[in-house]
Amino acid sequence: MSLLLQSIYTILRRGRAFATGLLLVALTLGGCKKYLEVPLPASSIAAEGVFNNDGTAAAALNGVYAALYNGSVFDYSSSLTYTLGLYGDELVNYSTIFNNKALYMDAVTSSVSSATGYWTYLYSQLYAINQAIQGIQANNALTYKNQWLGEAYFLRGLAYFYLTNLYGDVALVLTPDYLKNNGLKRSPQSDVYKQIIADLKQAQQLLDDDYHDDGGAVTTDKGRPNRMAVDALLARTYLYTKDWPNAEIQAGSVIANTGTYQLPTPDKVFLLNSQEVIWGLVPMVSNLYSYMVRDAAIYPIPKGTTPGSPYGITLSDSLANAFEPGDLRYTNWIGADTVPASGLNPQHIYHYAYKYKVKGTLTAPLESVVLFRLAEQYLIRAEARAQQNKLSGGNGATDDLNIIRARAGLPPTTAVSQADILNAIQQERRVELFCENGHHFFDLRRTGALDAYMTKLVPLKGGAGWNSNLAYWPIPVTDIQNDPNLTQTPGYQ
Amino acid sequence: MLLLCCCISAAASGQGINISAKNESLEKVFGQLEKQSGYTFFYKIELVRTLPKITVDIKHGTLIGALTQVLQNQSTLTWKIVGKTVVISKAEAPPLSTADQRANLLLVTGRVVDRDGQGIPNVSISLKGTQFAWKTNPEGIFTSALMEGAQGPGKPLVLAFSSIGFAPKEMKVDGPEKNLIITLREQVNTLDEVQMTAYSKTSKRYNVGDITTINSDEIARNPVPNVLQALQARVPGMLIQTQTGQPNGSFHVQIRSLNTLSGGAATSPQFINNGGQPLYIIDGVEYPADGSLPLAQGFNGPQYSLYGNALNFLDPSQFESISILKGPDATSLYGSRGAFGVILITTKKAKGGRPSFNLNVLHGFSNLSSRPKLMNNDQYLAMRREAFANNNNATPGAQDYDLNGTWDTTKNTDWEHYFLGGHAPTTRINANYSGGSANSSYLIGANYNSIGNIQFSKGAVKTGGMNFSLNTSTTDRKFTLGLTGSYSTNVDNMVPVDYTGSVGVLQAPDAPDLVLPNGKLNWDPSLEGNPLNMLYTLHNSTTNTLLANMTLNWTPVKGLSFIASGGYSLISAKEFEATPSAYFNPATFVTSNTRSLLSWYTIRTFSVDPRIQYENVFFGKGRLSAIVGATLRDKLQETTAIQGNGIATDELLRNPANAATAFRIDKYTTLPVRYTGPFATLNFRWADKYILELNGRRDGDSRFGPGNQFGNFGSIAGGWIISEEPWFRPVTGIIDFLKIKGSYGLTGANSLQPYQYISTYALNSNSYNGGIGLAPSNLANPYLHWETDKNAEAGINIGFLKEAINIEAIYYFNHMDDQLTNQSLASITGFPSFTYNTPARIYTHGLELNIVTHNIRRKNFSWETRINFTAPRSKLTAYPGVENLVSNFNYVVGKPITGIKLYKYAGVDPETGVYNFINAAGVKGQFTPIFSPVQLDANKDKTEFVDLAPKYYGGILNSFNYGNFSMDFLISLTNKMGPNFEAYQTFPMGVTIQNFPEDYAAKRWKKKGDITTVPKATSNILAFFDQGNFVSSTGAYSNATYARLQNLSLTYRFSHNLIQKWRLSGLSIYVAGQNLFTISKYGDLDPENMSAGRMPPLRVFTGGINVNF
């Protein structure tokens, strides 16, 4: 101990700055709470601040739009067009990619990520959407609160529309509370549709007829949804739920806007902000094919090329043959590649979807990923009217049908009976809306034709067979393992 | 004649001699005179001891006056002054001729130091062939006066130095020497091997914790670029596995049993759990070798280096020693940072002494060690034809190019050899120059290292660096300053590809050549791409690493030190990667395909560790050592990237900014982590028998939210050296040393990413329609808090037969609660997981064994064996659910956390040749998904549990010394289960154009009644359903137990005579090899990295030369 005292004495006597400094540092370092407060990383912002102003609130919604484009839900090689096209009857697979083969042979399991991926992806967007709804609702200081909230409700309706059409009964996640959501079970499809309709009605209240940009200003750019886009989705929802009068009303509401929406010639339909577009995603800079609707790169086959990697798909012959002679849509929207005979193989014509044509290095978008367009609304109204037995005349189904046929350069329909008109509408939908996010597959299912159709088709595609459970896709196994109440889609256990 | 010299060097005092002695012995008076005069006294001790005590009083006297006065009554003594020495002798003896003495006495002064340059007290110094002997003082300083010709006329004088715990050393003396520095190496005496602890060092004898130290000699035997490879199989309780044989690749390190869920559960088929990585400290500064580097590593296919490892950038020749700290006592001073073990690296320090230069040059090559032998073309085509026959006699389709006539079926290319058959040259050069005087010393080192690639590829990894160490002290050695630094540059311009995982290796043997006769790539559509296009990728990554450390030590009085050490480490890297037009198939190439990526990252850490150290001896028997201090650590990781797409021409590719603004993606991220806390430690030793150690620490970490930042941790440890007890004596001779030790500690782990406690939004990489996009980047958990980790261990050290056999056994057990883990969530929540404190409890325990035997210790031949063995176990003892959260599927209460649940594989159906499984109900069948009426349920039918962690592992190191030869070989042994080749296959054999291992294919089912585990070849694509079940079954896992000749080195040291003739001080030549030979029943994959898609650890052969000037 004396040594210790002696040393303290030494320090006091001969104390150098070093020793005292060291002591001070050692004594103060210990409980320094202030030091532990680190700044936020340069690349992120705290969530509380996001919905406090219009700029970041709009940016949070931009995040969802960008994700829907980049995540390839509506464009590119894992889009619904691609996967449902292979799974149904629109596309033929030539690639050796496992996912594509499995889809084409209608042999999906929960390990086929092309089938289960939308589940994960759309729910991750729903988290962002639910955060936005909660955040925007809580902030009264926003100048364009209604616009942002309306967009968020519309996006939620859109996400659930595709979720329920891909997976049947789905979990209804309506808040961002992950601890609660992790125990949700699947809600019946009817409840999901109720929720979609409720959300869209909210959106109708909040949005107006003008298009707005992300600064809130009115614009002619159709990159963000307006009230007509909500009507269009609502019309489609009523059609799928067989609520014919409401489907007619909502579709009619869009069609009545003749100042904004008209049917241009087929070659102009998919151009950016064309008269026909109600809402479409605007392509942006991406790792590949910037500002380009990427379908333009993966469907067309270069002249003389046999399908295979990287041109792994063609249009099915049955679809190419479904067009009537003289159909302008055939000449405008379908491409063909003739491969001359070689060796054992005779000459063959391969067709491809050619709705999107602009390919190459772009510096600004020229086409948009069209998600809602006027022609579909005519066809919805035609079907709704036909179902209500309003077959022809002033407000008849054939009127709407013939408007679409006339644009395609075809004579008026010859169908007269309700059944024939309904069939004519389905045929028209097939050739009008092909390769636009799975319309035909959904149409077959909602009209009850799917099982019979696929039972014949699957063996032709080399698959093992069809059963009615295959109408909906499986969900990821990890979800069933992680949420005690979630069940696998029937038939995929 | 016994002559003892008492020698203490002291500065001569200009004040004159002042002695006031009352009844003092002559010895003491001489001592005083020596001190005051600066002269050395030289006399026979027994001559003086018998003489009566004297009383003198001298003031301001001269030495001669004083001597005359002191010896005036001593008629038996006479004295002479020779140079700086006073020689006292018997009066009747023939007086030493003054002239003779002047000619014959050589004065030699110097300092004896250990490898760290610390003075060694009480070193015995003797003049060989005589009885002359001296000892060093507490600072290691000695003065000896040597009589020329003492070893016989004309024979040179040789001083011999010896001390307990150090290897003896001899030194020839040619003339008078001042400031001689003699460095003694720690002796092979196992118990006194130095072991580094958190802030000081100890020996195996007194250590009560669990520490293994590997020194530079052992590291130098391994011709490898990463020091982790040199540690493989040498450390009990530490498992190191190479993830990839690629240069600059990554490693998996696990200390003791895995006891955290933070790395996630076992996944099929590859098991890598990066949770619970140890802390790496280099000279006091944290070094980011504990995780993957933030490499951008390209947009092209496989992550070829698997995100690397920061130790790849530091040449192992810079390191003096590496200590692995395990368990509560050893690690608790590092608090939460050391929860998963600490790896303490000490770089080579300046020692002083004569300038010396050491050069080491090594050259050799590496090649592929193990890969499956694939079928040749005949075997392959027969298998494919059989596959079609088995599929209802189907005919090859348009895409079956190997059979339908598209390809030349007479071709037979060994694609594995084509892609991976190269010999990669490797060269390593390192040199250092060191020297200095007693008060300051320096060391300057340089190194260069180059490794090529075994692949059909180009480029190499080259590392070069310099390091230095400076030490200086005041003359009284009360204040010392040490500075170390190193800077190195690693340049990697290899093609960023691992062909092991490329489809190319498994191509059909009849596939066409990849390069056309005109030298261009073959883009035939039937090839579906060309794997050689990777060769056109432009890639260059340069990593600069800077390490600097400064330590100030002030010892105002003996035993008390104020120490301030601070360090800085900076890794800064630049990566460039681009795909020019030649990379793409010209048929489909558009400019927008080209990409160019430039990215930078820096990881900067600085730490300050001020502390006060106190050491004292109480009542002669008690030794106390205490440290009070604090740590401040600040780490910042920054990454920046700029990517440009669609660059107009290849010439512009070098700069991604040449892309139009619209095609550029720029990124910048920062990740700061701060950490601070005070600590205290106390070590008390009584009578060298009883040892008690207490550690305490309060940690604060910025990764936790407000209110949860601080945690208190500590440990207690004790040891009892039973062999020191008097009653133990009778056994001595059989058991010479026996110690038992134990410790208990409470610590908290925090393997956690920053910012998990707050909810954040991040900018989407792409904007939408001209505006920015934001997306939620995490699920926040504000309640995150420290894990609690209760650790205990008990150990025993026994030395038998004069310590010819030393055994250390440690048994550890640990309970870990409040596991910080990524709790997986259903994706309907929007995120796959979030971080929270799982109430799961993990119990781990295990045995570590370290045996050192000196089998033969002769003058010309010695044989030593070192065996280490570890048997780690873990068990999940509880995993309560919280509301809606479900534990990970593969976690089973009562089972290890490193296991995986699997279906039970029942072999191949002898009737149909397809996979059969047994479900939970005990029913055997094919259970094809979708199509079978009964299918396997992933939740219920996975009845089997396979633990993928090793059951045991260890190493046996044998060292032989025979004359000038020495040989070392290390055999590693690991017992574990792992995924086999088939586990990596999406399709069973025959479905696609893909080759399979010959031995596997030979076992396939061919006809009814065949009993085998390999199914029939089939071309039916639907077989993938069954393959999906198979990879999740026990059939996809095999016993991967293996023994490997990890390292072999053979050295020849040239004899002294030759070396002296060549004017060198050392010369040796050696050959060394790594990963030379493996015995395993595992089969087609390498049992260490167990991967079909990653390069196995390479086999290395080298030869080298080591010169000392």
PDB file of all heavy atoms in Angstrom, chain B residues 799-812:
ATOM      1  N   GLY B 799       1.474 -32.337 -15.773  1.00  0.00           N
ATOM      2  CA  GLY B 799       2.750 -32.616 -16.426  1.00  0.00           C
ATOM      3  C   GLY B 799       3.328 -33.893 -15.847  1.00  0.00           C
ATOM      4  O   GLY B 799       3.479 -34.024 -14.634  1.00  0.00           O
ATOM      5  N   PHE B 800       3.611 -34.870 -16.695  1.00  0.00           N
ATOM      6  CA  PHE B 800       4.142 -36.155 -16.254  1.00  0.00           C
ATOM      7  C   PHE B 800       5.631 -36.268 -16.580  1.00  0.00           C
ATOM      8  O   PHE B 800       6.094 -35.679 -17.566  1.00  0.00           O
ATOM      9  CB  PHE B 800       3.455 -37.310 -17.007  1.00  0.00           C
ATOM     10  CG  PHE B 800       2.020 -37.499 -16.658  1.00  0.00           C
ATOM     11  CD1 PHE B 800       1.027 -37.035 -17.509  1.00  0.00           C
ATOM     12  CD2 PHE B 800       1.650 -38.160 -15.493  1.00  0.00           C
ATOM     13  CE1 PHE B 800      -0.303 -37.231 -17.208  1.00  0.00           C
ATOM     14  CE2 PHE B 800       0.320 -38.350 -15.199  1.00  0.00           C
ATOM     15  CZ  PHE B 800      -0.661 -37.881 -16.046  1.00  0.00           C
ATOM     16  N   LEU B 801       6.314 -37.075 -15.838  1.00  0.00           N
ATOM     17  CA  LEU B 801       7.667 -37.518 -16.171  1.00  0.00           C
ATOM     18  C   LEU B 801       8.553 -36.355 -16.597  1.00  0.00           C
ATOM     19  O   LEU B 801       8.919 -36.223 -17.759  1.00  0.00           O
ATOM     20  CB  LEU B 801       7.615 -38.577 -17.291  1.00  0.00           C
ATOM     21  CG  LEU B 801       6.700 -39.771 -17.017  1.00  0.00           C
ATOM     22  CD1 LEU B 801       6.588 -40.619 -18.253  1.00  0.00           C
ATOM     23  CD2 LEU B 801       7.191 -40.574 -15.833  1.00  0.00           C
ATOM     24  N   LYS B 802       8.858 -35.512 -15.643  1.00  0.00           N
ATOM     25  CA  LYS B 802       9.671 -34.322 -15.895  1.00  0.00           C
ATOM     26  C   LYS B 802       9.089 -33.528 -17.059  1.00  0.00           C
ATOM     27  O   LYS B 802       9.813 -33.054 -17.936  1.00  0.00           O
ATOM     28  CB  LYS B 802      11.122 -34.727 -16.167  1.00  0.00           C
ATOM     29  CG  LYS B 802      11.745 -35.382 -14.947  1.00  0.00           C
ATOM     30  CD  LYS B 802      13.231 -35.519 -15.077  1.00  0.00           C
ATOM     31  CE  LYS B 802      13.786 -36.067 -13.773  1.00  0.00           C
ATOM     32  NZ  LYS B 802      15.026 -36.789 -13.951  1.00  0.00           N
ATOM     33  N   GLU B 803       7.793 -33.446 -17.042  1.00  0.00           N
ATOM     34  CA  GLU B 803       7.074 -32.672 -18.047  1.00  0.00           C
ATOM     35  C   GLU B 803       7.339 -33.137 -19.474  1.00  0.00           C
ATOM     36  O   GLU B 803       7.290 -32.351 -20.418  1.00  0.00           O
ATOM     37  CB  GLU B 803       7.364 -31.184 -17.867  1.00  0.00           C
ATOM     38  CG  GLU B 803       6.780 -30.698 -16.554  1.00  0.00           C
ATOM     39  CD  GLU B 803       7.120 -29.245 -16.242  1.00  0.00           C
ATOM     40  OE1 GLU B 803       7.481 -28.520 -17.183  1.00  0.00           O
ATOM     41  OE2 GLU B 803       7.004 -28.866 -15.079  1.00  0.00           O
ATOM     42  N   ALA B 804       7.654 -34.403 -19.624  1.00  0.00           N
ATOM     43  CA  ALA B 804       7.777 -34.949 -20.977  1.00  0.00           C
ATOM     44  C   ALA B 804       6.382 -35.055 -21.586  1.00  0.00           C
ATOM     45  O   ALA B 804       6.213 -35.035 -22.806  1.00  0.00           O
ATOM     46  CB  ALA B 804       8.434 -36.314 -20.940  1.00  0.00           C
ATOM     47  N   ILE B 805       5.387 -35.202 -20.744  1.00  0.00           N
ATOM     48  CA  ILE B 805       4.005 -35.249 -21.228  1.00  0.00           C
ATOM     49  C   ILE B 805       3.226 -34.161 -20.499  1.00  0.00           C
ATOM     50  O   ILE B 805       3.221 -34.115 -19.267  1.00  0.00           O
ATOM     51  CB  ILE B 805       3.360 -36.619 -20.952  1.00  0.00           C
ATOM     52  CG1 ILE B 805       4.189 -37.718 -21.609  1.00  0.00           C
ATOM     53  CG2 ILE B 805       1.922 -36.649 -21.441  1.00  0.00           C
ATOM     54  CD1 ILE B 805       3.769 -39.104 -21.197  1.00  0.00           C
ATOM     55  N   ASN B 806       2.636 -33.279 -21.261  1.00  0.00           N
ATOM     56  CA  ASN B 806       1.806 -32.236 -20.673  1.00  0.00           C
ATOM     57  C   ASN B 806       0.406 -32.350 -21.230  1.00  0.00           C
ATOM     58  O   ASN B 806       0.222 -32.391 -22.443  1.00  0.00           O
ATOM     59  CB  ASN B 806       2.358 -30.858 -21.024  1.00  0.00           C
ATOM     60  CG  ASN B 806       3.567 -30.526 -20.196  1.00  0.00           C
ATOM     61  OD1 ASN B 806       3.443 -30.183 -19.031  1.00  0.00           O
ATOM     62  ND2 ASN B 806       4.737 -30.676 -20.801  1.00  0.00           N
ATOM     63  N   ILE B 807      -0.543 -32.373 -20.319  1.00  0.00           N
ATOM     64  CA  ILE B 807      -1.923 -32.491 -20.782  1.00  0.00           C
ATOM     65  C   ILE B 807      -2.713 -31.331 -20.214  1.00  0.00           C
ATOM     66  O   ILE B 807      -2.611 -31.007 -19.034  1.00  0.00           O
ATOM     67  CB  ILE B 807      -2.549 -33.815 -20.312  1.00  0.00           C
ATOM     68  CG1 ILE B 807      -1.755 -34.977 -20.896  1.00  0.00           C
ATOM     69  CG2 ILE B 807      -4.018 -33.903 -20.729  1.00  0.00           C
ATOM     70  CD1 ILE B 807      -2.186 -36.321 -20.366  1.00  0.00           C
ATOM     71  N   GLU B 808      -3.466 -30.685 -21.082  1.00  0.00           N
ATOM     72  CA  GLU B 808      -4.399 -29.682 -20.608  1.00  0.00           C
ATOM     73  C   GLU B 808      -5.777 -30.083 -21.096  1.00  0.00           C
ATOM     74  O   GLU B 808      -5.966 -30.336 -22.286  1.00  0.00           O
ATOM     75  CB  GLU B 808      -4.048 -28.286 -21.131  1.00  0.00           C
ATOM     76  CG  GLU B 808      -5.012 -27.236 -20.642  1.00  0.00           C
ATOM     77  CD  GLU B 808      -4.626 -25.811 -21.018  1.00  0.00           C
ATOM     78  OE1 GLU B 808      -3.981 -25.633 -22.069  1.00  0.00           O
ATOM     79  OE2 GLU B 808      -4.964 -24.895 -20.256  1.00  0.00           O
ATOM     80  N   ALA B 809      -6.713 -30.172 -20.169  1.00  0.00           N
ATOM     81  CA  ALA B 809      -8.083 -30.516 -20.561  1.00  0.00           C
ATOM     82  C   ALA B 809      -8.999 -29.447 -20.005  1.00  0.00           C
ATOM     83  O   ALA B 809      -8.851 -29.030 -18.861  1.00  0.00           O
ATOM     84  CB  ALA B 809      -8.453 -31.874 -20.009  1.00  0.00           C
ATOM     85  N   ILE B 810      -9.887 -28.978 -20.857  1.00  0.00           N
ATOM     86  CA  ILE B 810     -10.834 -27.957 -20.410  1.00  0.00           C
ATOM     87  C   ILE B 810     -12.231 -28.384 -20.807  1.00  0.00           C
ATOM     88  O   ILE B 810     -12.462 -28.819 -21.946  1.00  0.00           O
ATOM     89  CB  ILE B 810     -10.494 -26.582 -21.019  1.00  0.00           C
ATOM     90  CG1 ILE B 810      -9.198 -26.052 -20.394  1.00  0.00           C
ATOM     91  CG2 ILE B 810     -11.635 -25.587 -20.804  1.00  0.00           C
ATOM     92  CD1 ILE B 810      -8.684 -24.787 -21.000  1.00  0.00           C
ATOM     93  N   TYR B 811     -13.117 -28.281 -19.857  1.00  0.00           N
ATOM     94  CA  TYR B 811     -14.515 -28.579 -20.153  1.00  0.00           C
ATOM     95  C   TYR B 811     -15.293 -27.295 -19.967  1.00  0.00           C
ATOM     96  O   TYR B 811     -15.166 -26.626 -18.945  1.00  0.00           O
ATOM     97  CB  TYR B 811     -15.021 -29.668 -19.196  1.00  0.00           C
ATOM     98  CG  TYR B 811     -16.411 -30.096 -19.504  1.00  0.00           C
ATOM     99  CD1 TYR B 811     -16.651 -30.915 -20.599  1.00  0.00           C
ATOM    100  CD2 TYR B 811     -17.484 -29.666 -18.733  1.00  0.00           C
ATOM    101  CE1 TYR B 811     -17.936 -31.291 -20.917  1.00  0.00           C
ATOM    102  CE2 TYR B 811     -18.774 -30.043 -19.047  1.00  0.00           C
ATOM    103  CZ  TYR B 811     -18.988 -30.850 -20.144  1.00  0.00           C
ATOM    104  OH  TYR B 811     -20.272 -31.221 -20.464  1.00  0.00           O
ATOM    105  N   TYR B 812     -16.049 -26.914 -20.959  1.00  0.00           N
ATOM    106  CA  TYR B 812     -16.772 -25.640 -20.837  1.00  0.00           C
ATOM    107  C   TYR B 812     -18.259 -25.862 -20.947  1.00  0.00           C
ATOM    108  O   TYR B 812     -18.716 -26.821 -21.566  1.00  0.00           O
ATOM    109  CB  TYR B 812     -16.299 -24.653 -21.907  1.00  0.00           C
ATOM    110  CG  TYR B 812     -16.566 -25.097 -23.333  1.00  0.00           C
ATOM    111  CD1 TYR B 812     -17.804 -24.867 -23.937  1.00  0.00           C
ATOM    112  CD2 TYR B 812     -15.582 -25.753 -24.065  1.00  0.00           C
ATOM    113  CE1 TYR B 812     -18.051 -25.287 -25.230  1.00  0.00           C
ATOM    114  CE2 TYR B 812     -15.826 -26.170 -25.356  1.00  0.00           C
ATOM    115  CZ  TYR B 812     -17.062 -25.933 -25.942  1.00  0.00           C
ATOM    116  OH  TYR B 812     -17.307 -26.343 -27.225  1.00  0.00           O
TER     117      TYR B 812
END
